Amino acid sequence: MIIAFSGGVGGAKLADGLAAVLAPELLTVVVNVGDDFEHLGLRICPDLDTVMYTLAGLANPSTGWGLAGDTASFMAALERIGGETWFHLGDRDMATHVERTRLLAGMSLSEVTETFCRRLGVRHAVVPVSDDRVRTTVRTDEGLLSFQDYFVRRRCAPRVLGLTLEGADSARASERFLHAMNHPQLKAIVFCPSNPHLSIAPMLAIPQVRACLQARRVPLVAVSPIIDGNAVKGPAAKIQKELGFPVSALGVADLYKDLIDGFVLDVCDAELAPIAPMPTLVAQTLMRNPSDRRNLAEAVLEFASRLRKP
Ligand code: GDP
Ligand code: CA
């Protein structure tokens, strides 16, 4: 049994690789909810949807988010009548948001996610890190911005001064996450190559989640989202720099050093391995296709098993 922590697009790729090599009952993907927000009267959960669509084999291959082959008639019609169009919602994708919003009146986010996963044929567990409301806010040189205002509306242009997770202090970890953490067959925990500041840190900001991780009896390994001094996609490198951390795989290793037992960095960064503050694995971490995802998943699992205490 393996637990994988994931944000959206980067994390979902490794989660997909893990799902390809592990039986359904042997993997729980724990997903960030700090990006969630209310928009057009709907509850949008970008990271949960990205993981769910990716594991269902339905994700748009060019963006990594949204549904493959989705259309944009709703957005075009909304624009015509003067609605808010800065956040793109595909026509088919809309069904997820509308139905989730309806179901949330009587169900937890965990239950809704489980229901959708079942209907979409996702057999591995996908669980929100918390069923409580937690929201990332970004302190920037242009003032305090809600996460999607920063990420989508302002396209990560403002300089980040700090991040806070509203509601984290009082949020509880989800039951399904706790169940996975307490599973007698738990063998390892993996931080997927998600944005450390925007995807992993918001989960660690929930005190119960951090406490569970600190009390773990199994190895925790993280995979670097930074390769050769750059993010594969998105603002991880920019934020790393703006917050004053070294922009390299080592800079990420440093952020996690009090928590993890092993760190996976890319073959491009092999020269950094000997100076990392924890055991490392050098692997091909760039996932361009399904077999890259599987190979990385296998390498990460093998690395974690070597770190396991006898
Ligand atoms: P988001 O929530 O959609 O922004 O996605 P995540 O936080 O899960 O992932 C974003 C991070 O994934 C970025 O920092 C990228 O550098 C990283 N990433 C994307 N694709 C890959 C890949 O193939 N390999 C590695 N190592 N990192 C990747
Ligand atoms: Ca995200």
Side-chain angles (χ1 to χ4, degrees):
M1 162 83 193
I2 302 292
I3 293 179
F5 278 71
S6 176
V9 173
K13 290 194 218 171
L14 182 58
D16 192 43
L18 290 165
V21 302
L22 293 166
E25 65 280 10
L26 297 185
L27 175 66
T28 296
V29 187
V30 178
V31 183
N32 173 43
V33 295
D35 301 7
D36 294 9
F37 71 127
E38 282 71 34
H39 185 57
L40 308 178
L42 302 172
R43 171 77 77 85
I44 318 281
C45 303
D47 289 353
L48 275 171
D49 288 349
T50 295
V51 171
M52 178 171 80
Y53 291 158
T54 301
L55 295 195
L58 297 171
N60 178 336
S62 60
T63 54
W65 51 265
L67 286 161
D70 209 349
T71 48
S73 301
F74 170 76
M75 292 309 287
L78 187 63
E79 176 155 37
R80 206 161 164 198
I81 56 172
E84 274 192 59
T85 54
W86 58 273
F87 193 88
H88 183 87
L89 297 165
D91 294 335
R92 293 178 204 161
D93 184 38
M94 274 300 279
T96 301
H97 313 305
V98 170
E99 184 62 359
R100 173 166 44 222
T101 305
R102 190 183 74 80
L103 290 177
L104 279 172
M107 282 167 120
S108 68
L109 184 58
S110 291
E111 289 166 337
V112 176
T113 305
E114 185 178 87
T115 304
F116 288 178
C117 282
R118 190 171 349 105
R119 302 293 295 224
L120 295 176
V122 175
R123 297 176 61 215
H124 299 78
V126 176
V127 308
V129 68
S130 176
D131 283 314
D132 296 332
R133 181 193 161 88
V134 281
R135 297 283 188 269
T136 300
T137 50
V138 189
R139 205 152 47 77
T140 75
D141 58 351
E142 298 180 12
L144 202 60
L145 298 174
S146 68
F147 178 75
Q148 299 297 349
D149 259 355
Y150 163 76
F151 197 73
V152 178
R153 203 204 291 255
R154 296 288 294 116
R155 302 205 165 98
C156 310
R159 192 158 71 87
V160 175
L161 307 174
L163 295 155
T164 47
L165 198 70
E166 272 174 28
D169 281 345
S170 56
R172 289 151 306 163
S174 66
E175 284 301 323
R176 284 163 175 76
F177 163 73
L178 294 173
H179 177 77
M181 276 306 293
N182 294 323
H183 198 287
Q185 292 303 318
L186 181 65
K187 295 281 191 267
I189 303 168
V190 178
F191 285 177
C192 290
S194 288
N195 186 312
H197 304 285
L198 298 181
S199 293
I200 302 292
M203 296 192 269
L204 304 181
I206 299 169
Q208 200 182 8
V209 173
R210 180 169 275 276
C212 278
L213 289 176
Q214 278 162 341
R216 74 187 181 277
R217 291 151 175 271
V218 298
L220 196 179
V221 301
V223 180
S224 179
I226 303 268
I227 300 179
D228 196 16
N230 263 306
V232 178
K233 195 176 170 226
K238 180 174 180 280
I239 294 175
Q240 184 83 355
K241 182 158 167 241
E242 289 167 353
L243 292 178
F245 298 106
V247 187
S248 72
L250 268 194
V252 178
D254 228 46
L255 291 176
Y256 292 147
K257 71 171 181 296
D258 294 335
L259 202 55
I260 67 175
D261 304 295
F263 189 68
V264 182
L265 36 75
D266 194 77
V267 283
C268 296
D269 295 315
E271 78 278 4
L272 301 177
I275 47 173
M278 69 282 290
T280 56
L281 171 73
V282 175
Q284 191 201 303
T285 70
L286 187 63
M287 295 170 279
R288 290 155 308 191
N289 54 47
S291 90
D292 288 347
R293 296 176 183 188
R294 253 191 335 263
N295 290 342
L296 181 58
E298 274 170 350
V300 167
L301 294 177
E302 199 271 331
F303 177 49
S305 76
R306 274 191 279 130
L307 295 172
R308 216 170 288 146
K309 290 190 193 79

